[in-house]
Amino acid sequence: EKLEIKIDRLFKKFQTEDLFIETEETANLLYFVRLLLQNQEPILIVGPEGCGKTKTLFHYLQKQSADKYITNLINLSGHVN
């Protein structure tokens, strides 16, 4: 019962949208994001819906200086009429 209470307290501090679990795919994407940004190259990330494109990029940008990067999110979807 004590362990259950501690886990409940831990999860109350975090919201699921704040969690980032690095996988092999996101690690690869982060590598190329770092490489492209260090060389001041533009980035276009393409992939199926829900694969983690936005989450991975925002995870990277949140760790960077706000003075260095301006984030502009444009969501494009094939579902728009």
Side-chain angles (χ1 to χ4, degrees), residues 22-72:
E22 191 167 311
T23 65
E24 185 176 342
E25 290 82 10
T26 60
N28 290 336
L29 178 57
L30 287 170
Y31 169 79
F32 286 108
V33 165
R34 275 188 219 102
L35 186 65
L36 289 167
L37 289 177
Q38 287 171 356
N39 290 295
Q40 298 181 348
E41 295 290 337
I43 298 173
L44 175 63
I45 302 172
V46 179
E49 182 178 330
C51 71
K53 301 176 297 290
T54 302
K55 185 71 173 174
T56 302
L57 192 55
F58 275 177
H59 171 76
Y60 175 81
L61 291 172
Q62 285 176 343
K63 293 183 172 189
Q64 307 308 308
S65 168
D67 295 334
K68 190 171 182 178
Y69 294 104
I70 298 172
T71 304
N72 186 10

Side-chain angles (χ1 to χ4, degrees), residues 1-10:
E1 186 177 338
K2 290 181 182 180
L3 178 62
E4 198 172 296
I5 293 170
K6 288 180 182 179
I7 290 172
D8 285 343
R9 287 182 188 160
L10 176 66

